[in-house]
Amino acid sequence: MSYDTLKLRHRNERDGYPSNLSLRVHRSLSWLQRAEQLDDPDSQFIFLWISFNAAYATEINEEYRTTEKTAFRGFLEKLVSLDVDKQLDELTWTEFPRSIRVLLSNRFVFQPFWDHQNGKLSEEEWQDQFTRAKVAAQSALGSEDTATVLGIALSRIYTLRNQLIHGGATWGSKVNREQIRDCVALMSQLVPVILTIMMDHPETLWGDACYPVVNE
């Protein structure tokens, strides 16, 4: 589903949306459009993350960087419960199962690995956390728990986002090409599905946008 399709729908329906929902969708679509216009994977990834975060519209607590809890769990559970067409299930279990499994087992998008590299954790501590994280991920995969699997995947993607935004990676680096490519492919389909579900259910309390409108 493309920006053009979603934008047309939003334009036709927005007068019937709560103002908070309309604003979040409007902002998210603007970044999705920009991501679709680019052929640079690093930039696409950054803009897709902004698009997701505009829809999510909640501050991300730093505690979620170092635990297998995720700041996205409640949001994703709500989306899954409302996803009558099973679009999120389709993405998770049919279109991107390999990419998601690779992401969940990749130490380079696991924040405690980098905490170890920066001297914050010992080798034993990060390895222990990684082992426990893989067990939790395998359990969620085995039970086909879509919300949990996507939540863990997004926490890994958040680590990759931090590397780029905070200057911890080189533009066009060969080291993270596979991760960037897989994340762009997943996010480019995940964000439109999220927006679709939100627009399908404008009556749902999605929470307040963390940045209210000033001038859009």
Side-chain angles (χ1 to χ4, degrees):
M1 190 172 299
S2 68
Y3 160 82
D4 289 334
T5 301
L6 292 170
K7 184 61 180 177
L8 178 61
R9 177 180 177 183
H10 179 248
R11 188 178 292 116
N12 290 335
E13 299 179 3
R14 62 190 174 192
D15 289 344
Y17 294 165
S19 58
N20 172 50
L21 173 62
S22 184
L23 175 61
R24 289 162 73 163
V25 173
H26 168 67
R27 287 172 171 168
S28 181
L29 285 172
S30 72
W31 292 104
L32 178 64
Q33 179 188 32
R34 186 57 183 148
E36 289 183 358
Q37 292 171 341
L38 299 169
D39 58 6
D40 166 23
D42 290 298
S43 299
Q44 282 182 307
F45 173 78
I46 291 169
F47 288 133
L48 285 166
W49 180 268
I50 298 173
S51 182
F52 163 75
N53 209 46
Y56 176 62
T58 302
E59 294 285 359
I60 298 172
N61 193 322
E62 285 299 297
E63 74 178 276
Y64 293 110
R65 294 178 57 198
T66 55
T67 73
E68 273 313 308
K69 292 180 179 180
T70 80
F72 319 114
R73 178 64 184 268
F75 180 60
L76 291 167
E77 286 181 342
K78 182 182 292 187
L79 288 166
V80 169
S81 71
L82 295 171
D83 185 16
V84 294
D85 295 325
K86 304 299 182 183
Q87 300 171 86
L88 292 171
D89 286 352
E90 177 74 13
L91 285 180
T92 306
W93 309 113
T94 303
E95 294 199 41
F96 294 103
R98 188 202 68 81
S99 296
I100 289 173
R101 287 177 182 275
V102 169
L103 193 64
L104 299 189
S105 62
N106 189 332
R107 63 180 177 173
F108 296 113
V109 288
F110 185 62
Q111 184 58 43
F113 170 77
W114 296 107
D115 290 340
H116 165 62
Q117 300 300 312
N118 293 323
K120 297 179 182 179
L121 293 175
S122 68
E123 175 82 20
E124 182 179 359
E125 286 173 324
W126 93 260
Q127 288 278 12
D128 178 63
Q129 290 189 35
F130 193 46
T131 298
R132 287 188 283 110
K134 287 197 292 185
V135 169
Q138 287 301 320
S139 175
L141 287 165
S143 60
E144 294 196 350
D145 183 343
T146 301
T148 297
V149 168
L150 286 177
I152 298 172
L154 282 168
S155 72
R156 302 292 202 274
I157 294 171
Y158 182 57
T159 296
L160 184 58
R161 169 262 186 204
N162 286 343
Q163 291 171 10
L164 268 66
I165 294 297
H166 298 302
T170 304
W171 176 83
S173 171
K174 294 180 181 179
V175 175
N176 64 12
R177 281 310 83 192
E178 184 174 354
Q179 297 99 291
I180 290 288
R181 183 178 63 250
D182 286 348
C183 288
V184 166
L186 174 60
M187 294 289 284
S188 66
Q189 294 200 45
L190 177 61
V191 171
V193 168
I194 289 173
L195 293 174
T196 297
I197 296 170
M198 292 176 74
M199 289 192 286
D200 283 347
H201 298 277
E203 77 287 352
T204 299
L205 181 62
W206 292 105
D208 295 328
C210 58
Y211 297 102
V213 62
V214 180
N215 286 304
E216 291 287 332

